[in-house]
Amino acid sequence: MSPADAQRRGGGGGGRRQGGPGGSRPGGQGGSRQGGGPRRGRPDGGNRGTTGRSRQGQPTIAPQPRSAPEVDVHAPDGVRLQKLLAGAGVGSRRACEELIAAGRVQVDGQVVTELGIRVDPSSQTVHVDGERVQLDESRVYLAFNKPLGVVTTMSDDLGRPSVGDYVAERPERLFHVGRLDADTEGLLLLTNDGDLAHRLQHPRYGVLKTYVAQVSGPVPRDLGKTLRAGVQLEDGPVKVDSFSVVASTPGKAVVEIVLHEGRNHIVRRLMEEVGHPVLTLTRVQVGPVELGQTKSGRWRALSRREIGQLYKAVGL
């Protein structure tokens, strides 16, 4: 055989493939593959992967993952979904029907598009565009501006002014979400939704709280960097999520502090540690809820959107 014939038979590779007599593949069907190009189905000629050529009888394409089975969320004795959404303030009944038809509404995590579906507002959850809608009319969510000198309890055995005094005429059994010191004023959430209240206070969810404090000054320019890096306290380190100087006067400064910590007196202890004791302290925001224009000693009901954002912040 001439060298040219040998080259044509070997496809430029210089000889037979190794591993079996007569150039056959190991464990193959006794025939040799012609040429030295890539295997059929592998245009790049690389090593076979999970979706490459397989043995006879096996699929050549990896099976696609199965989609989650649909769940029947219809509650025959419930209320029509569009009626519940309209009653919760999402929009008019016609607008709610359009939301459902567009696939923007979920019931128990399942997208629904049927207008005739009924749900049980006491046991099922509904989301619109990813935000939870509270359908249980017995649930109450209030933003209270706690005055100075008021203790964060719903009643006080010592006869001191308490948060409970300001909502005593409400029929619901409310409780406060977290605490504010008697000498700290500002935003305090009140609710009868135990699940939400528990998560808002749990450090796992890291809900941010914003405070405005008047501290002794002047404040050095690198104080924010120090606080963001972390300061060691007697019960462990603490660092702020944000710090900024709002205003400055001789001997004093107004600063904004944002952190997700919930330990007792955390802001006061932190600023004391860095040499700028707190003179006055006001909490102005919890998560997405702002104190706004609510006057001291007054409360307001949270909007549907604020409630939905609170649920979203804690994964409900």
Side-chain angles (χ1 to χ4, degrees), residues 46-62:
N47 294 330
R48 181 171 59 188
T50 57
T51 60
R53 183 179 178 183
S54 59
R55 296 176 181 175
Q56 186 175 2
Q58 292 183 338
T60 59
I61 300 177

Side-chain angles (χ1 to χ4, degrees), residues 86 108 164 178 187 193 233:
D108 292 341
L187 180 61
D193 188 334
L233 301 179

Side-chain angles (χ1 to χ4, degrees), residues 91-273:
S92 67
R93 190 172 300 191
R94 176 59 180 168
C96 293
E97 290 176 350
E98 293 176 353
L99 290 173
I100 296 171
R104 296 167 61 184
V105 179
Q106 289 181 314
V107 178
D108 292 341
Q110 186 78 32
V111 175
V112 296
T113 56
E114 299 178 15
L115 298 181
I117 192 171
R118 294 175 178 268
V119 298
D120 182 355
S122 65
S123 62
Q124 294 180 282
T125 59
V126 175
H127 291 74
V128 176
D129 292 336
E131 287 190 1
R132 180 167 170 174
V133 179
Q134 181 52 259
L135 303 176
D136 188 348
E137 295 181 354
S138 68
R139 299 298 189 189
V140 175
Y141 307 86
L142 306 178
F144 175 60
N145 188 349
K146 188 190 83 66
L148 289 172
V150 174
V151 295
T152 307
T153 60
M154 302 312 292
S155 63
D156 186 68
D157 295 337
L158 300 178
R160 296 172 297 179
S162 68
V163 171
D165 297 337
Y166 292 84
V167 291
E169 296 183 358
R170 294 196 63 94
E172 306 89 1
R173 182 177 179 271
L174 299 173
F175 38 87
H176 48 84
V177 180
R179 292 178 177 274
L180 289 177
D181 306 330
D183 51 355
T184 299
E185 59 184 332
L187 180 61
L188 188 68
L189 299 181
L190 306 176
T191 184
N192 58 354
D193 188 334
D195 192 15
L196 177 63
H198 171 72
R199 292 200 179 200
L200 287 173
Q201 298 176 81
H202 201 289
R204 170 185 175 185
Y205 300 100
V207 178
L208 297 177
K209 295 96 174 173
T210 303
Y211 298 83
V212 173
Q214 186 182 70
V215 301
S216 60
V219 174
R221 299 182 65 177
D222 62 347
L223 180 58
K225 182 178 179 180
T226 299
L227 295 175
R228 285 188 290 269
V231 175
Q232 184 67 37
L233 301 179
E234 65 272 13
D235 56 350
V238 59
K239 58 182 179 180
V240 305
D241 294 87
S242 175
F243 176 86
S244 61
V245 177
V246 178
S248 182
T249 57
K252 298 179 182 178
V254 177
V255 299
E256 181 185 82
I257 303 168
V258 181
L259 72 172
H260 59 270
E261 285 275 359
R263 284 179 275 173
N264 289 338
H265 311 286
I266 189 66
V267 175
R268 294 180 183 277
R269 291 192 292 129
L270 174 63
M271 298 307 295
E272 181 77 31
E273 183 66 26

Side-chain angles (χ1 to χ4, degrees), residues 82 90 164 216 278 291 298 303:
Q82 59 265 43
V90 175
S216 60
V278 170
L291 182 62
R298 305 295 296 271
S303 68

